[in-house]
Amino acid sequence: MVTTNTTVTNINEQGLQSWLQQRLSEQRYQHSLGAQQKAIEIARNFKLSESIVEKAGLAGLLHDAAKLSSPAELLEMVTMFNIDISDAERESPQVLHPFVGAELARWELNIQDEDVLNAIRYHTTGRAGMSDVEKLVYLADKIEGNTRNPLYTQKITSILNYQDPTTLDKAVLYIMDSTITFLIEKGQVIHPRTVEARNDLVNKLKSAQDMGGFPEVTRK
């Protein structure tokens, strides 16, 4: 576990966990603990700053704070927090939990750090121009060890080479490609932010001329 610094929130680790347990099922709580641990692990393996480690751990822990809220509750909190959403999102309120969760963290836990809040907001869809903290939480959510399928998590983990920081982008891109493929196969709508995030990562990796070997991984 990471010890939460008071510059990020004035609530200690035990208080954060207690607050979260009141909102989640035991399985979802264990998933959140797993995401926290995985985000910290990946950040430290990449030798990122302790500030990034701390922020990623905090956002990983809290990313699903509003996950079990009902559609009616989510829409009510969208209005209460004055969250700007699209008509499509209003018609599918289940996709709103990241934005509501970020506002709950802001107002109930006094977390004001925008990098932490954005990592919570965009952990489901991603977005163009993701920060390292956002990428870490997006990735940790999908591959934490407490509840996720180990065969899938091992496939993603095999992409990560901690001597090559671009493999963080490659792992995130792999997940986005997998998600988009799954949604196409199911005939479902792909959120525009995911498309924008995916294209942003592709362009970033291409501009660095660092896509070597990765296309073979994505075809598995």
Side-chain angles (χ1 to χ4, degrees), residues 9 22 27 29 33 51 57 62 74 102 116 121 127 146 157 164 172 183 194 202 209 214-215 220:
T9 177
Q22 295 173 29
Q27 182 179 26
Y29 176 65
L33 291 178
S51 174
L62 300 177
L74 289 170
V116 173
R121 287 186 185 107
R127 65 166 179 164
N146 288 352
T157 302
D164 178 2
V172 172
L183 292 173
T194 301
V202 169
Q209 296 183 340
F214 186 59
K220 290 183 180 179

Side-chain angles (χ1 to χ4, degrees), residues 74-83 85 90 96 100:
L74 289 170
L75 288 171
E76 181 181 351
M77 285 186 279
V78 161
T79 300
M80 180 175 68
F81 292 127
N82 196 28
I83 301 171
I85 62 172
R90 188 171 293 279
L96 298 175
V100 171

Side-chain angles (χ1 to χ4, degrees), residues 137-152:
V137 174
Y138 181 91
L139 182 58
D141 175 37
K142 312 304 188 296
I143 67 168
E144 56 84 14
N146 288 352
T147 64
R148 297 306 195 190
N149 184 326
L151 295 178
Y152 182 71

Side-chain angles (χ1 to χ4, degrees), residues 8 36 42 58 76 79 83 100 110 118-119 134 150 161-162 183:
V8 178
Q36 178 189 39
I42 297 170
L58 180 59
E76 181 181 351
T79 300
I83 301 171
V100 171
N110 194 32
N118 282 334
E134 291 174 56
N161 172 2
Y162 295 114
L183 292 173

Side-chain angles (χ1 to χ4, degrees), residues 16 32 37 60 85 115 120 124 138 141 157 162 198 201 207 215:
L16 289 170
S32 299
Q37 293 161 359
I85 62 172
D115 208 8
I120 297 172
T124 299
Y138 181 91
D141 175 37
T157 302
Y162 295 114
R198 190 260 178 193
L201 287 172
S207 68

